[in-house]
Amino acid sequence: MSSKGGHPNRRKTSKAGPKIGSGGGKKGLAGKGRTLKAEDRPWHKEYTGDDKPRKTQWKQAKERAKAASEGRTSNIGRSKPAGSATRRRDDEPELILGRNPVLEALRAKVPATALYVAFGTELDDRVAESVRLAGNRDLPIKELARRDLDRRTNNALHQGIGLQIEPYQYAEFEQLLKISQTSGTAPLLVALDGVTDPRNLGAIIRSTAAFGGHGLIIPSKRAASVTAVAWRTSAGAAARLPVAKVVNLTRTIQACQQAGFMTVALDGGGDVDVFDLPVATDPLLIVVGDEGKGVSRLVAETCDHRAGIPISSEVESLNASVAASIALAEVQRQRR
């Protein structure tokens, strides 16, 4: 046996120490403390602490940062403007937000089910009058925490107040036909083709009721519905004039023709002047198109007449509600 070699299996190099990141050493073996329960972690869905709003903000900030890193925009956590309504289906209640919109809706006697006021909301003249009008109508006035109203409105800018509106009850098309045919006067209906602004819809409802119309027909898709905005613009006429939603406007026009109606599409390039309309005293359906596009080609071809309103050459087109009002006023003049 060699005098220098020692044991033949003896390690020739020193033992390797702990490497960085391996968890070795006393520090790596030190305890990390207890694991937090789900209800104690602000980022967990089962968190039950009092600072839930901070938890939500943390998650929203994380989502926005992720969106920014991917080069896209994100609306998470951003407030909607006051006066906007929460997104809904036609068969769901609508929530009108903001001090001016809520007050206007109550003054217009828009059908409502409840008034929501957040705790700590400044009672200015608008809020005070809204509460008074709601009380006069025996509407429930519900006070709730501001964060609860934030959650109910999906973080929209509500200014501490919201009005829940009843879903509008649409009539059936056959019901409109029956109402117009049994009214004792020459039937008069109005149909809209592509009108997407609820303010235009509300104004046309008002004009139709004012000039002796018996009902309004709107498409179920790509068209304005009777929302609270339309209610306010109609100045209460939406409570008196039945409105029907139809799936196919062209087939509805054909059904009116089979029921004995003459059909007229308002069209700037029409074949007849609205002031010389030969069928004004007959059972009549007037079709109004969008201000920019007008009535669609198929709808115009289906109607019996296309009537134009003479205007100055400097003006390209009339607002849909203005055009409808002119046509309805002329029909009533001829019928008188």
Side-chain angles (χ1 to χ4, degrees), residues 55 70 76 84 290 301:
K55 164 205 169 184
E70 296 174 357
I76 296 173
S84 61
D290 180 64
E301 292 176 352

Side-chain angles (χ1 to χ4, degrees), residues 164-223:
Q164 186 167 289
I165 306 300
E166 294 178 0
Y168 182 77
Q169 298 298 318
Y170 291 95
E172 297 293 335
F173 167 65
E174 292 76 12
Q175 184 181 357
L176 259 63
L177 284 180
K178 184 176 180 180
I179 291 172
S180 64
Q181 292 170 336
T182 60
S183 63
T185 60
L188 176 59
L189 298 176
V190 176
L192 305 186
D193 181 23
V195 175
T196 57
D197 188 340
R199 289 178 292 271
N200 270 338
L201 172 59
I204 294 172
I205 290 174
R206 186 176 185 179
S207 297
T208 303
F211 293 116
H214 300 108
L216 188 73
I217 301 167
I218 60 176
S220 58
K221 294 182 179 179
R222 294 182 292 276

Side-chain angles (χ1 to χ4, degrees), residues 64-332:
R64 285 196 295 269
K66 181 180 178 181
S69 66
E70 296 174 357
R72 56 186 174 87
T73 59
S74 173
N75 292 324
I76 296 173
R78 297 179 182 176
S79 295
K80 300 176 183 178
S84 61
T86 55
R87 192 174 181 180
R88 65 181 186 96
R89 300 193 308 267
D90 282 340
D91 58 349
E92 292 180 341
E94 180 182 4
L95 200 59
I96 299 304
L97 309 174
R99 301 185 182 194
N100 285 333
V102 167
L103 181 55
E104 290 173 9
L106 287 168
R107 285 173 175 173
K109 298 183 179 179
V110 175
T113 55
L115 177 69
Y116 293 96
V117 181
F119 288 119
T121 298
E122 180 185 356
L123 294 178
D124 62 6
D125 292 342
R126 295 167 295 175
V127 175
E129 185 176 354
S130 295
V131 172
R132 179 178 60 80
L133 291 174
N136 291 342
R137 292 173 53 182
D138 294 327
L139 289 178
I141 301 173
K142 302 181 179 180
E143 291 186 279
L144 69 172
R146 183 170 291 270
R147 66 183 180 186
D148 291 333
L149 189 56
D150 290 339
R151 182 168 60 250
R152 185 180 289 271
T153 61
N154 195 25
N155 288 321
L157 183 58
H158 47 69
Q159 297 178 313
I161 191 168
L163 183 68
Q164 186 167 289
I165 306 300
E166 294 178 0
Y168 182 77
Q169 298 298 318
Y170 291 95
E172 297 293 335
F173 167 65
E174 292 76 12
Q175 184 181 357
L176 259 63
L177 284 180
K178 184 176 180 180
I179 291 172
S180 64
Q181 292 170 336
T182 60
S183 63
T185 60
L188 176 59
L189 298 176
V190 176
L192 305 186
D193 181 23
V195 175
T196 57
D197 188 340
R199 289 178 292 271
N200 270 338
L201 172 59
I204 294 172
I205 290 174
R206 186 176 185 179
S207 297
T208 303
F211 293 116
H214 300 108
L216 188 73
I217 301 167
I218 60 176
S220 58
K221 294 182 179 179
R222 294 182 292 276
S225 298
V226 184
T227 61
V229 174
W231 261 104
R232 292 200 309 272
T233 311
S234 76
R240 302 188 301 272
L241 187 80
V243 179
K245 269 192 173 184
V246 297
V247 176
N248 190 300
L249 185 59
T250 302
R251 286 203 296 263
T252 302
I253 294 172
Q254 293 170 343
C256 286
Q257 292 170 333
Q258 293 171 2
F261 282 72
M262 297 302 296
T263 56
V264 177
L266 296 185
D267 188 348
D271 53 8
V272 64
D273 193 315
V274 73
F275 299 113
D276 298 318
L277 196 60
V279 294
T281 57
D282 297 329
L284 187 62
L285 172 69
I286 299 176
V287 184
V288 183
D290 180 64
E291 177 181 349
K293 299 178 181 178
V295 295
S296 62
R297 179 188 59 81
L298 185 57
V299 166
E301 292 176 352
T302 304
C303 290
D304 300 304
H305 296 280
R306 291 185 301 141
I309 300 174
I311 57 177
S312 172
S313 59
E314 286 81 10
V315 179
E316 293 184 0
S317 63
L318 292 174
N319 177 275
S321 61
V322 173
S325 298
I326 293 172
L328 287 164
E330 175 60 18
V331 167
Q332 188 185 64

